Amino acid sequence: MIRLLKAIFIVVPKLIFWYFQWILIYYIRRNKIPFEKKYNKIRSCVLTVLKDLNIELLEDGIENVKYKENKSNFYVCNHQSLLDPLFLVLLLKRPLSFVSKKEASHYPFIGKAVKLLECKFLDRNDLKQQVKVILDVKKSLNEKQRDWCIYPEGRRNKNPFSGLLEYHHGSFKLLNENTDMYVFTLFGTFRPLQFFKYPNKKLVVQLCYTNFHSYDELKDLTSTKISEIVSSESLITYNKLKEKDKEIYNLNS
């Protein structure tokens, strides 16, 4: 109940204030404002909201991420909530964009934020459009324009305690010789927006570095095989995070 009251009386007024103070202005002038400036502004707001909602982020291994001038970083992660991108934005120092479903662009406040991050939106009903998005992102990575993140499950896992959804192999066709891949696994992002189901005064979200793969390591493998490798190592980390989550919340098996 405390978090819900904070959301209503603290977070929502802040979001409305930010919307008219800078989000709308940045959005209108999005092509004229440097990407890094937009990214850092969103990071500071995410940090404020997490504190207001008593959300503790437990990260593990973020120091393993390297930012090379001659390489783009390609991040993959499992997907539990529409808030997932915000936690990566908070932790990753070099600005990145996301590949997301087109519906995300219409979410209140978050929709504007992901647009400011210049995300690419996939239309699940338009195969031609999906191919174009993948090619655009691959070109961006290859030309070292920006780092990108994709959620290879393709949709949120609405039963987060059941394991991972299938990792779609098409996501890994983005890899190229100018790209390094970092695998992350998260757990607990499904709770913050479910105020009545999870009324805890304080919530914990876990985000864990899982593995690193260079292009040279993967170049001779098919995207299907890469997907199997990444899914397997993500599942191992996921199970560890789920067990830790049980300890945090004193849940029975």
Side-chain angles (χ1 to χ4, degrees):
M1 183 60 70
I2 292 177
R3 285 195 315 107
L4 178 59
L5 293 175
K6 282 190 171 184
I8 294 172
F9 295 107
I10 297 177
V11 175
V12 171
K14 280 185 179 180
L15 290 175
I16 294 173
F17 174 73
W18 289 337
Y19 185 81
F20 291 104
Q21 181 199 35
W22 70 270
I23 294 177
L24 190 58
I25 296 172
Y26 274 39
Y27 180 72
I28 294 172
R29 303 181 63 242
R30 60 189 178 279
N31 294 326
K32 298 180 179 179
I33 297 176
F35 183 75
E36 188 170 352
K37 182 176 181 180
K38 293 182 287 186
Y39 185 85
N40 289 332
K41 191 75 172 178
I42 290 172
R43 285 185 80 189
S44 65
C45 291
V46 171
L47 181 60
T48 299
V49 170
L50 292 185
K51 289 181 178 179
D52 288 341
L53 291 180
N54 290 347
I55 299 172
E56 180 182 359
L57 177 58
L58 297 181
E59 61 86 9
D60 183 19
I62 195 70
E63 68 277 1
N64 291 297
V65 177
K66 309 301 180 185
Y67 305 99
K68 304 174 185 176
E69 291 186 4
N70 64 335
K71 292 281 186 178
S72 295
N73 287 347
F74 172 50
Y75 304 99
V76 296
C77 188
N78 63 312
H79 196 18
Q80 293 188 343
S81 166
L82 59 89
L83 298 178
D84 291 349
L86 302 183
F87 291 99
L88 280 174
V89 166
L90 184 62
L91 290 179
L92 295 173
K93 297 177 181 179
R94 193 162 74 183
L96 77 156
S97 292
F98 297 83
V99 179
S100 178
K101 62 180 182 179
K102 71 173 185 178
E103 290 81 2
S105 64
H106 304 302
Y107 294 146
F109 302 109
I110 291 177
K112 284 288 191 295
V114 293
K115 285 180 179 178
L116 287 176
L117 292 174
E118 300 179 22
C119 298
K120 293 286 187 180
F121 301 102
L122 290 170
D123 185 345
R124 293 174 178 171
N125 299 316
D126 188 340
L127 182 59
K128 184 177 180 180
Q129 188 267 354
Q130 293 178 32
V131 172
K132 183 180 185 304
V133 167
I134 294 299
L135 291 176
D136 287 346
V137 174
K138 187 169 185 176
K139 179 182 178 182
S140 176
L141 285 167
N142 189 46
E143 295 179 354
K144 300 182 284 292
Q145 297 174 351
R146 186 171 306 148
D147 297 342
W148 285 85
C149 175
I150 195 168
Y151 297 95
E153 289 171 297
R155 65 182 186 277
R156 284 181 292 125
N157 188 344
K158 296 182 180 180
N159 188 4
F161 290 95
S162 65
L164 301 177
L165 301 178
E166 178 187 0
Y167 275 28
H168 299 297
H169 70 89
S171 302
F172 300 92
K173 292 183 178 181
L174 294 171
L175 288 167
N176 60 73
E177 61 185 4
N178 292 320
T179 303
D180 286 330
M181 180 170 69
Y182 290 89
V183 182
F184 280 91
T185 311
L186 56 76
F187 197 92
T189 57
F190 56 89
R191 286 192 179 98
L193 296 182
Q194 299 188 48
F195 295 99
F196 295 105
K197 188 174 182 179
Y198 303 107
N200 312 62
K201 292 181 180 180
K202 185 176 183 178
L203 295 179
V204 174
V205 168
Q206 301 178 74
L207 182 61
C208 183
Y209 164 87
T210 299
N211 208 352
F212 164 81
H213 296 282
S214 67
Y215 174 76
D216 289 338
E217 173 191 347
L218 303 172
K219 64 182 180 181
D220 295 325
L221 302 179
T222 65
S223 59
T224 300
K225 184 59 178 177
I226 296 172
S227 176
E228 291 173 358
I229 292 171
V230 173
S231 178
S232 295
E233 58 194 23
S234 296
L235 183 59
I236 292 173
T237 304
Y238 162 86
N239 286 329
K240 292 178 180 178
L241 297 182
K242 185 171 71 169
E243 288 305 310
K244 187 171 183 178
D245 184 84
K246 289 180 180 179
E247 295 175 6
I248 293 171
Y249 292 100
N250 295 315
L251 299 175
N252 296 320
S253 301

